[in-house]
Amino acid sequence: MQELDHQFFEEYKRLDRLCSDMYQSRSGVSRYIEHMESTPPNRQIAVSSWKDTYKTLKHLRWVRNQIAHTPGENLICCEQDITDVIRIYQSILSGQDPLATVQRLSQNQQHSTHRKTPDSKTSSVPVSSGIASTQHLIGCFAWILLLSAGFAAALYFLLIHLF
């Protein structure tokens, strides 16, 4: 095995172990690729690096397989392949990879949707905003007083006309 191929192989194994740990699977990079493939297209589009990372991972897996299954001393990989393996490894480790980005965007979307639903049990007014929550309480109190006054007037009207 050529030195460049050996270096690539070691970096790829490191990436594969990271992905294996993430998915608790023996085929880490393949599971990551499968996860990318099963992600809905509307979420894939939201990540600008999606296609590039997907194609690069497929290529890197192919290079790894060629090195592992091709006998001889032929040079199979190039320096860019090693750079790509390291870049993807670091992006996964730092949470900047496409799947982590999609998950973050999805959580942000769920969080903002949850805050906008009218029947939500959580307040859309931040707890730390004392003025806003005071205004909210005053508004509620005003509605209660208005409803109570209307009820009292209706009760007074009924009592006068019945007796």
Side-chain angles (χ1 to χ4, degrees), residues 95-158:
Q96 300 302 316
D97 61 293
L99 289 175
T101 303
V102 162
Q103 184 176 1
R104 218 174 14 261
L105 291 172
S106 180
Q107 287 173 343
N108 289 344
Q109 185 180 25
Q110 287 176 355
H111 180 68
S112 67
T113 302
H114 179 69
R115 290 182 72 205
K116 291 178 183 176
T117 51
D119 59 344
S120 175
K121 292 182 181 181
T122 60
S123 172
S124 63
V125 178
V127 176
S128 63
S129 175
I131 295 171
S133 54
T134 302
Q135 289 173 343
H136 180 73
L137 288 174
I138 291 172
C140 289
F141 185 68
W143 273 104
I144 291 170
L145 284 177
L146 187 61
L147 288 173
S148 298
F151 181 72
L155 185 60
Y156 178 74
F157 180 78
L158 284 174

Short mmCIF file of all heavy atoms in Angstrom, two decimals, residues 95-158:
data_model
loop_
_atom_site.label_atom_id
_atom_site.label_comp_id
_atom_site.label_asym_id
_atom_site.label_seq_id
_atom_site.Cartn_x
_atom_site.Cartn_y
_atom_site.Cartn_z
N GLY A 95 -20.29 19.40 15.04
CA GLY A 95 -21.73 19.58 14.88
C GLY A 95 -22.09 20.49 13.73
O GLY A 95 -23.19 21.04 13.69
N GLN A 96 -21.20 20.64 12.77
CA GLN A 96 -21.45 21.51 11.61
C GLN A 96 -21.72 20.71 10.34
O GLN A 96 -21.79 21.29 9.26
CB GLN A 96 -20.24 22.44 11.39
CG GLN A 96 -19.94 23.33 12.57
CD GLN A 96 -21.11 24.21 12.96
OE1 GLN A 96 -21.76 24.79 12.11
NE2 GLN A 96 -21.39 24.28 14.25
N ASP A 97 -21.88 19.42 10.46
CA ASP A 97 -22.14 18.56 9.30
C ASP A 97 -23.59 18.73 8.85
O ASP A 97 -24.42 19.27 9.58
CB ASP A 97 -21.84 17.11 9.65
CG ASP A 97 -22.72 16.60 10.78
OD1 ASP A 97 -22.55 17.09 11.92
OD2 ASP A 97 -23.57 15.73 10.54
N PRO A 98 -23.92 18.27 7.64
CA PRO A 98 -25.27 18.46 7.11
C PRO A 98 -26.38 17.85 7.98
O PRO A 98 -27.42 18.48 8.18
CB PRO A 98 -25.22 17.77 5.75
CG PRO A 98 -23.80 17.88 5.34
CD PRO A 98 -23.02 17.74 6.61
N LEU A 99 -26.18 16.66 8.52
CA LEU A 99 -27.24 16.05 9.33
C LEU A 99 -27.47 16.82 10.63
O LEU A 99 -28.62 17.01 11.05
CB LEU A 99 -26.92 14.58 9.62
CG LEU A 99 -27.03 13.65 8.42
CD1 LEU A 99 -26.58 12.24 8.79
CD2 LEU A 99 -28.45 13.62 7.88
N ALA A 100 -26.41 17.27 11.25
CA ALA A 100 -26.56 18.07 12.48
C ALA A 100 -27.23 19.40 12.15
O ALA A 100 -28.06 19.89 12.92
CB ALA A 100 -25.20 18.31 13.13
N THR A 101 -26.89 19.98 11.02
CA THR A 101 -27.50 21.25 10.60
C THR A 101 -28.99 21.06 10.36
O THR A 101 -29.81 21.88 10.80
CB THR A 101 -26.81 21.79 9.34
OG1 THR A 101 -25.41 21.94 9.62
CG2 THR A 101 -27.39 23.12 8.92
N VAL A 102 -29.37 19.98 9.69
CA VAL A 102 -30.79 19.71 9.44
C VAL A 102 -31.53 19.52 10.76
O VAL A 102 -32.63 20.04 10.96
CB VAL A 102 -30.97 18.46 8.54
CG1 VAL A 102 -32.37 17.90 8.63
CG2 VAL A 102 -30.64 18.79 7.11
N GLN A 103 -30.92 18.80 11.68
CA GLN A 103 -31.55 18.58 12.98
C GLN A 103 -31.73 19.90 13.72
O GLN A 103 -32.78 20.16 14.30
CB GLN A 103 -30.71 17.62 13.82
CG GLN A 103 -31.36 17.27 15.15
CD GLN A 103 -30.56 16.25 15.91
OE1 GLN A 103 -29.50 15.80 15.49
NE2 GLN A 103 -31.05 15.87 17.08
N ARG A 104 -30.72 20.75 13.69
CA ARG A 104 -30.81 22.06 14.35
C ARG A 104 -31.90 22.91 13.72
O ARG A 104 -32.69 23.53 14.42
CB ARG A 104 -29.44 22.75 14.25
CG ARG A 104 -29.05 23.52 15.44
CD ARG A 104 -27.65 24.09 15.43
NE ARG A 104 -26.91 24.13 14.20
CZ ARG A 104 -25.99 23.23 13.83
NH1 ARG A 104 -25.70 22.22 14.62
NH2 ARG A 104 -25.35 23.34 12.69
N LEU A 105 -31.95 22.95 12.39
CA LEU A 105 -32.98 23.72 11.70
C LEU A 105 -34.37 23.19 12.03
O LEU A 105 -35.31 23.95 12.24
CB LEU A 105 -32.75 23.69 10.19
CG LEU A 105 -31.53 24.43 9.67
CD1 LEU A 105 -31.32 24.14 8.18
CD2 LEU A 105 -31.66 25.92 9.90
N SER A 106 -34.50 21.89 12.09
CA SER A 106 -35.78 21.27 12.41
C SER A 106 -36.21 21.61 13.83
O SER A 106 -37.37 21.93 14.08
CB SER A 106 -35.67 19.75 12.24
OG SER A 106 -36.88 19.13 12.54
N GLN A 107 -35.27 21.57 14.77
CA GLN A 107 -35.58 21.92 16.16
C GLN A 107 -35.97 23.39 16.28
O GLN A 107 -36.90 23.73 17.00
CB GLN A 107 -34.41 21.61 17.07
CG GLN A 107 -34.20 20.15 17.30
CD GLN A 107 -32.94 19.83 18.07
OE1 GLN A 107 -32.03 20.66 18.18
NE2 GLN A 107 -32.85 18.62 18.58
N ASN A 108 -35.25 24.26 15.56
CA ASN A 108 -35.58 25.68 15.59
C ASN A 108 -36.96 25.92 15.01
O ASN A 108 -37.73 26.73 15.53
CB ASN A 108 -34.54 26.50 14.81
CG ASN A 108 -33.22 26.58 15.52
OD1 ASN A 108 -33.12 26.28 16.70
ND2 ASN A 108 -32.18 26.94 14.80
N GLN A 109 -37.29 25.21 13.94
CA GLN A 109 -38.61 25.36 13.32
C GLN A 109 -39.70 24.85 14.26
O GLN A 109 -40.72 25.51 14.43
CB GLN A 109 -38.66 24.60 12.00
CG GLN A 109 -39.95 24.79 11.24
CD GLN A 109 -39.95 24.02 9.94
OE1 GLN A 109 -39.26 23.02 9.79
NE2 GLN A 109 -40.74 24.47 9.00
N GLN A 110 -39.47 23.72 14.91
CA GLN A 110 -40.45 23.20 15.86
C GLN A 110 -40.61 24.15 17.04
O GLN A 110 -41.71 24.39 17.50
CB GLN A 110 -40.02 21.82 16.37
CG GLN A 110 -40.18 20.73 15.37
CD GLN A 110 -39.64 19.40 15.88
OE1 GLN A 110 -39.06 19.32 16.96
NE2 GLN A 110 -39.82 18.37 15.08
N HIS A 111 -39.50 24.71 17.49
CA HIS A 111 -39.54 25.63 18.63
C HIS A 111 -40.33 26.88 18.27
O HIS A 111 -41.19 27.32 19.02
CB HIS A 111 -38.12 25.99 19.08
CG HIS A 111 -38.09 26.93 20.23
ND1 HIS A 111 -38.49 26.55 21.49
CD2 HIS A 111 -37.71 28.22 20.33
CE1 HIS A 111 -38.38 27.58 22.31
NE2 HIS A 111 -37.89 28.60 21.63
N SER A 112 -40.08 27.44 17.09
CA SER A 112 -40.79 28.66 16.71
C SER A 112 -42.25 28.36 16.39
O SER A 112 -43.12 29.16 16.70
CB SER A 112 -40.12 29.34 15.52
OG SER A 112 -40.23 28.55 14.36
N THR A 113 -42.55 27.20 15.84
CA THR A 113 -43.94 26.82 15.59
C THR A 113 -44.66 26.60 16.91
O THR A 113 -45.79 27.02 17.08
CB THR A 113 -44.00 25.52 14.75
OG1 THR A 113 -43.31 25.74 13.53
CG2 THR A 113 -45.43 25.11 14.47
N HIS A 114 -43.98 25.98 17.85
CA HIS A 114 -44.57 25.74 19.16
C HIS A 114 -44.91 27.04 19.87
O HIS A 114 -45.94 27.17 20.50
CB HIS A 114 -43.60 24.92 20.02
CG HIS A 114 -44.11 24.63 21.39
ND1 HIS A 114 -45.16 23.77 21.61
CD2 HIS A 114 -43.73 25.09 22.61
CE1 HIS A 114 -45.41 23.72 22.91
NE2 HIS A 114 -44.54 24.50 23.53
N ARG A 115 -44.05 28.03 19.72
CA ARG A 115 -44.29 29.32 20.37
C ARG A 115 -45.44 30.07 19.73
O ARG A 115 -46.08 30.89 20.37
CB ARG A 115 -43.03 30.18 20.30
CG ARG A 115 -41.93 29.64 21.19
CD ARG A 115 -40.72 30.51 21.16
NE ARG A 115 -41.02 31.72 21.90
CZ ARG A 115 -40.42 32.86 21.69
NH1 ARG A 115 -39.50 32.96 20.77
NH2 ARG A 115 -40.72 33.92 22.39
N LYS A 116 -45.75 29.80 18.45
CA LYS A 116 -46.78 30.56 17.75
C LYS A 116 -48.17 29.95 17.86
O LYS A 116 -49.14 30.59 17.53
CB LYS A 116 -46.41 30.67 16.26
CG LYS A 116 -45.22 31.55 16.00
CD LYS A 116 -44.88 31.58 14.54
CE LYS A 116 -43.63 32.40 14.31
NZ LYS A 116 -43.22 32.37 12.91
N THR A 117 -48.28 28.70 18.32
CA THR A 117 -49.58 28.07 18.39
C THR A 117 -50.39 28.71 19.51
O THR A 117 -49.92 28.84 20.63
CB THR A 117 -49.47 26.56 18.62
OG1 THR A 117 -48.61 26.33 19.74
CG2 THR A 117 -48.96 25.85 17.40
N PRO A 118 -51.67 29.07 19.22
CA PRO A 118 -52.48 29.76 20.22
C PRO A 118 -52.83 28.89 21.42
O PRO A 118 -53.02 29.39 22.50
CB PRO A 118 -53.74 30.16 19.46
CG PRO A 118 -53.70 29.45 18.16
CD PRO A 118 -52.33 28.94 17.96
N ASP A 119 -52.92 27.58 21.25
CA ASP A 119 -53.31 26.74 22.37
C ASP A 119 -52.08 26.22 23.12
O ASP A 119 -52.20 25.32 23.93
CB ASP A 119 -54.16 25.56 21.89
CG ASP A 119 -53.44 24.70 20.86
OD1 ASP A 119 -52.43 25.15 20.30
OD2 ASP A 119 -53.89 23.58 20.63
N SER A 120 -50.96 26.79 22.87
CA SER A 120 -49.73 26.37 23.53
C SER A 120 -49.80 26.69 25.01
O SER A 120 -50.28 27.75 25.41
CB SER A 120 -48.54 27.09 22.89
OG SER A 120 -47.38 26.79 23.59
N LYS A 121 -49.30 25.79 25.83
CA LYS A 121 -49.33 26.00 27.27
C LYS A 121 -48.19 26.90 27.73
O LYS A 121 -48.21 27.39 28.84
CB LYS A 121 -49.26 24.66 28.00
CG LYS A 121 -50.50 23.85 27.78
CD LYS A 121 -50.45 22.57 28.54
CE LYS A 121 -51.73 21.80 28.26
NZ LYS A 121 -51.82 20.56 28.95
N THR A 122 -47.19 27.07 26.88
CA THR A 122 -46.10 27.96 27.25
C THR A 122 -46.37 29.35 26.72
O THR A 122 -46.93 29.52 25.66
CB THR A 122 -44.75 27.46 26.69
OG1 THR A 122 -44.85 27.40 25.27
CG2 THR A 122 -44.40 26.09 27.24
N SER A 123 -45.97 30.32 27.48
CA SER A 123 -46.19 31.70 27.08
C SER A 123 -45.21 32.12 26.01
O SER A 123 -44.05 31.73 26.04
CB SER A 123 -46.04 32.61 28.31
OG SER A 123 -46.07 33.95 27.93
N SER A 124 -45.68 32.93 25.08
CA SER A 124 -44.76 33.44 24.06
C SER A 124 -44.03 34.66 24.58
O SER A 124 -43.17 35.18 23.92
CB SER A 124 -45.53 33.77 22.78
OG SER A 124 -46.45 34.80 23.03
N VAL A 125 -44.38 35.12 25.78
CA VAL A 125 -43.70 36.26 26.39
C VAL A 125 -42.55 35.72 27.21
O VAL A 125 -42.74 34.85 28.05
CB VAL A 125 -44.67 37.04 27.31
CG1 VAL A 125 -43.97 38.19 27.99
CG2 VAL A 125 -45.87 37.52 26.52
N PRO A 126 -41.34 36.17 26.98
CA PRO A 126 -40.20 35.66 27.73
C PRO A 126 -40.36 35.91 29.22
O PRO A 126 -40.87 36.95 29.64
CB PRO A 126 -39.01 36.46 27.19
CG PRO A 126 -39.48 37.04 25.91
CD PRO A 126 -40.96 37.16 26.00
N VAL A 127 -39.95 34.94 30.02
CA VAL A 127 -40.07 35.05 31.47
C VAL A 127 -39.27 36.22 31.99
O VAL A 127 -39.68 36.90 32.92
CB VAL A 127 -39.60 33.74 32.14
CG1 VAL A 127 -39.62 33.86 33.64
CG2 VAL A 127 -40.46 32.58 31.68
N SER A 128 -38.13 36.49 31.37
CA SER A 128 -37.27 37.55 31.87
C SER A 128 -37.80 38.95 31.56
O SER A 128 -37.27 39.92 32.03
CB SER A 128 -35.87 37.40 31.28
OG SER A 128 -35.94 37.54 29.87
N SER A 129 -38.85 39.04 30.77
CA SER A 129 -39.39 40.34 30.40
C SER A 129 -40.46 40.75 31.41
O SER A 129 -41.63 40.47 31.24
CB SER A 129 -39.99 40.28 28.99
OG SER A 129 -40.61 41.48 28.68
N GLY A 130 -40.08 41.45 32.47
CA GLY A 130 -41.00 41.86 33.52
C GLY A 130 -42.08 42.81 33.02
O GLY A 130 -43.24 42.70 33.39
N ILE A 131 -41.71 43.74 32.16
CA ILE A 131 -42.68 44.71 31.65
C ILE A 131 -43.72 44.01 30.80
O ILE A 131 -44.92 44.22 30.96
CB ILE A 131 -41.97 45.82 30.85
CG1 ILE A 131 -41.07 46.63 31.78
CG2 ILE A 131 -42.97 46.71 30.14
CD1 ILE A 131 -40.17 47.61 31.07
N ALA A 132 -43.28 43.16 29.90
CA ALA A 132 -44.21 42.47 29.01
C ALA A 132 -45.16 41.58 29.80
O ALA A 132 -46.36 41.54 29.53
CB ALA A 132 -43.45 41.66 27.97
N SER A 133 -44.65 40.84 30.80
CA SER A 133 -45.53 39.96 31.56
C SER A 133 -46.47 40.77 32.44
O SER A 133 -47.62 40.38 32.66
CB SER A 133 -44.73 38.95 32.37
OG SER A 133 -43.80 39.59 33.19
N THR A 134 -46.05 41.92 32.95
CA THR A 134 -46.94 42.79 33.72
C THR A 134 -48.04 43.32 32.84
O THR A 134 -49.22 43.33 33.23
CB THR A 134 -46.14 43.96 34.34
OG1 THR A 134 -45.11 43.43 35.15
CG2 THR A 134 -47.03 44.85 35.16
N GLN A 135 -47.70 43.75 31.63
CA GLN A 135 -48.72 44.22 30.70
C GLN A 135 -49.70 43.11 30.36
O GLN A 135 -50.90 43.34 30.25
CB GLN A 135 -48.07 44.76 29.42
CG GLN A 135 -47.34 46.06 29.62
CD GLN A 135 -46.56 46.48 28.39
OE1 GLN A 135 -46.32 45.67 27.50
NE2 GLN A 135 -46.17 47.74 28.35
N HIS A 136 -49.20 41.90 30.23
CA HIS A 136 -50.06 40.76 29.93
C HIS A 136 -51.04 40.53 31.08
O HIS A 136 -52.23 40.32 30.86
CB HIS A 136 -49.18 39.52 29.71
CG HIS A 136 -49.93 38.28 29.39
ND1 HIS A 136 -50.55 38.07 28.18
CD2 HIS A 136 -50.17 37.17 30.14
CE1 HIS A 136 -51.13 36.90 28.18
NE2 HIS A 136 -50.92 36.33 29.36
N LEU A 137 -50.54 40.60 32.33
CA LEU A 137 -51.42 40.41 33.49
C LEU A 137 -52.46 41.52 33.60
O LEU A 137 -53.62 41.27 33.92
CB LEU A 137 -50.59 40.33 34.77
CG LEU A 137 -49.78 39.05 34.95
CD1 LEU A 137 -48.89 39.17 36.17
CD2 LEU A 137 -50.69 37.85 35.06
N ILE A 138 -52.06 42.75 33.35
CA ILE A 138 -52.99 43.88 33.40
C ILE A 138 -54.08 43.70 32.35
O ILE A 138 -55.26 43.93 32.61
CB ILE A 138 -52.25 45.22 33.23
CG1 ILE A 138 -51.39 45.49 34.47
CG2 ILE A 138 -53.22 46.37 32.98
CD1 ILE A 138 -50.46 46.67 34.33
N GLY A 139 -53.69 43.26 31.16
CA GLY A 139 -54.67 43.01 30.10
C GLY A 139 -55.66 41.94 30.50
O GLY A 139 -56.87 42.07 30.28
N CYS A 140 -55.19 40.86 31.11
CA CYS A 140 -56.07 39.78 31.57
C CYS A 140 -57.00 40.29 32.67
O CYS A 140 -58.20 39.98 32.69
CB CYS A 140 -55.26 38.60 32.08
SG CYS A 140 -54.40 37.69 30.78
N PHE A 141 -56.43 41.06 33.58
CA PHE A 141 -57.23 41.59 34.68
C PHE A 141 -58.33 42.52 34.15
O PHE A 141 -59.47 42.49 34.62
CB PHE A 141 -56.31 42.33 35.66
CG PHE A 141 -57.02 42.82 36.89
CD1 PHE A 141 -57.52 41.92 37.82
CD2 PHE A 141 -57.20 44.17 37.12
CE1 PHE A 141 -58.18 42.36 38.95
CE2 PHE A 141 -57.86 44.63 38.25
CZ PHE A 141 -58.35 43.72 39.17
N ALA A 142 -57.99 43.33 33.15
CA ALA A 142 -58.99 44.23 32.55
C ALA A 142 -60.13 43.44 31.92
O ALA A 142 -61.30 43.81 32.05
CB ALA A 142 -58.33 45.13 31.51
N TRP A 143 -59.81 42.35 31.23
CA TRP A 143 -60.86 41.52 30.63
C TRP A 143 -61.75 40.90 31.71
O TRP A 143 -62.97 40.84 31.57
CB TRP A 143 -60.25 40.42 29.77
CG TRP A 143 -60.01 40.87 28.37
CD1 TRP A 143 -58.82 41.19 27.81
CD2 TRP A 143 -60.99 41.08 27.36
NE1 TRP A 143 -58.98 41.59 26.51
CE2 TRP A 143 -60.33 41.52 26.21
CE3 TRP A 143 -62.37 40.95 27.33
CZ2 TRP A 143 -60.98 41.83 25.03
CZ3 TRP A 143 -63.02 41.24 26.15
CH2 TRP A 143 -62.35 41.68 25.01
N ILE A 144 -61.15 40.45 32.79
CA ILE A 144 -61.93 39.85 33.89
C ILE A 144 -62.86 40.90 34.49
O ILE A 144 -64.04 40.62 34.74
CB ILE A 144 -61.00 39.26 34.96
CG1 ILE A 144 -60.28 38.03 34.38
CG2 ILE A 144 -61.75 38.90 36.22
CD1 ILE A 144 -59.16 37.48 35.24
N LEU A 145 -62.36 42.11 34.71
CA LEU A 145 -63.21 43.18 35.25
C LEU A 145 -64.35 43.51 34.29
O LEU A 145 -65.49 43.70 34.71
CB LEU A 145 -62.38 44.44 35.52
CG LEU A 145 -61.50 44.41 36.77
CD1 LEU A 145 -60.69 45.69 36.86
CD2 LEU A 145 -62.35 44.24 38.01
N LEU A 146 -64.05 43.59 33.00
CA LEU A 146 -65.06 43.90 32.00
C LEU A 146 -66.14 42.83 31.96
O LEU A 146 -67.35 43.13 31.93
CB LEU A 146 -64.41 44.06 30.62
CG LEU A 146 -65.30 44.53 29.49
CD1 LEU A 146 -65.86 45.91 29.79
CD2 LEU A 146 -64.52 44.57 28.20
N LEU A 147 -65.74 41.57 31.97
CA LEU A 147 -66.71 40.47 31.98
C LEU A 147 -67.53 40.48 33.27
O LEU A 147 -68.76 40.25 33.25
CB LEU A 147 -66.00 39.13 31.81
CG LEU A 147 -65.43 38.84 30.43
CD1 LEU A 147 -64.61 37.56 30.45
CD2 LEU A 147 -66.53 38.74 29.40
N SER A 148 -66.88 40.74 34.40
CA SER A 148 -67.59 40.80 35.68
C SER A 148 -68.60 41.94 35.69
O SER A 148 -69.74 41.78 36.17
CB SER A 148 -66.60 40.98 36.83
OG SER A 148 -65.74 39.90 36.90
N ALA A 149 -68.22 43.09 35.17
CA ALA A 149 -69.14 44.24 35.12
C ALA A 149 -70.33 43.92 34.23
O ALA A 149 -71.48 44.25 34.56
CB ALA A 149 -68.40 45.47 34.62
N GLY A 150 -70.10 43.27 33.11
CA GLY A 150 -71.19 42.89 32.21
C GLY A 150 -72.12 41.89 32.88
O GLY A 150 -73.35 41.98 32.77
N PHE A 151 -71.55 40.93 33.59
CA PHE A 151 -72.36 39.95 34.30
C PHE A 151 -73.17 40.61 35.40
O PHE A 151 -74.36 40.33 35.58
CB PHE A 151 -71.44 38.85 34.89
CG PHE A 151 -72.18 37.79 35.63
CD1 PHE A 151 -72.94 36.86 34.95
CD2 PHE A 151 -72.13 37.73 37.01
CE1 PHE A 151 -73.62 35.88 35.63
CE2 PHE A 151 -72.82 36.76 37.70
CZ PHE A 151 -73.57 35.82 37.02
N ALA A 152 -72.56 41.54 36.13
CA ALA A 152 -73.27 42.24 37.22
C ALA A 152 -74.40 43.09 36.65
O ALA A 152 -75.51 43.12 37.21
CB ALA A 152 -72.29 43.12 37.99
N ALA A 153 -74.18 43.75 35.52
CA ALA A 153 -75.23 44.56 34.91
C ALA A 153 -76.39 43.69 34.45
O ALA A 153 -77.56 44.03 34.64
CB ALA A 153 -74.67 45.36 33.73
N ALA A 154 -76.08 42.53 33.86
CA ALA A 154 -77.13 41.62 33.40
C ALA A 154 -77.91 41.08 34.59
O ALA A 154 -79.15 40.99 34.56
CB ALA A 154 -76.53 40.48 32.59
N LEU A 155 -77.24 40.73 35.67
CA LEU A 155 -77.89 40.23 36.87
C LEU A 155 -78.78 41.32 37.48
O LEU A 155 -79.92 41.05 37.86
CB LEU A 155 -76.83 39.76 37.87
CG LEU A 155 -77.33 39.09 39.13
CD1 LEU A 155 -78.14 37.84 38.80
CD2 LEU A 155 -76.17 38.73 40.04
N TYR A 156 -78.28 42.56 37.56
CA TYR A 156 -79.05 43.68 38.07
C TYR A 156 -80.31 43.89 37.23
O TYR A 156 -81.41 44.07 37.77
CB TYR A 156 -78.18 44.95 38.09
CG TYR A 156 -78.90 46.17 38.57
CD1 TYR A 156 -79.21 46.35 39.92
CD2 TYR A 156 -79.28 47.17 37.66
CE1 TYR A 156 -79.87 47.47 40.34
CE2 TYR A 156 -79.94 48.28 38.09
CZ TYR A 156 -80.25 48.45 39.44
OH TYR A 156 -80.92 49.56 39.85
N PHE A 157 -80.18 43.83 35.91
CA PHE A 157 -81.32 44.02 35.01
C PHE A 157 -82.35 42.93 35.24
O PHE A 157 -83.58 43.20 35.30
CB PHE A 157 -80.82 43.99 33.54
CG PHE A 157 -81.89 44.18 32.54
CD1 PHE A 157 -82.42 45.44 32.27
CD2 PHE A 157 -82.41 43.08 31.84
CE1 PHE A 157 -83.41 45.61 31.34
CE2 PHE A 157 -83.41 43.25 30.92
CZ PHE A 157 -83.91 44.51 30.66
N LEU A 158 -81.94 41.69 35.40
CA LEU A 158 -82.89 40.58 35.64
C LEU A 158 -83.58 40.73 37.00
O LEU A 158 -84.79 40.50 37.11
CB LEU A 158 -82.14 39.23 35.60
CG LEU A 158 -81.77 38.70 34.22
CD1 LEU A 158 -80.92 37.45 34.36
CD2 LEU A 158 -83.01 38.38 33.42
#
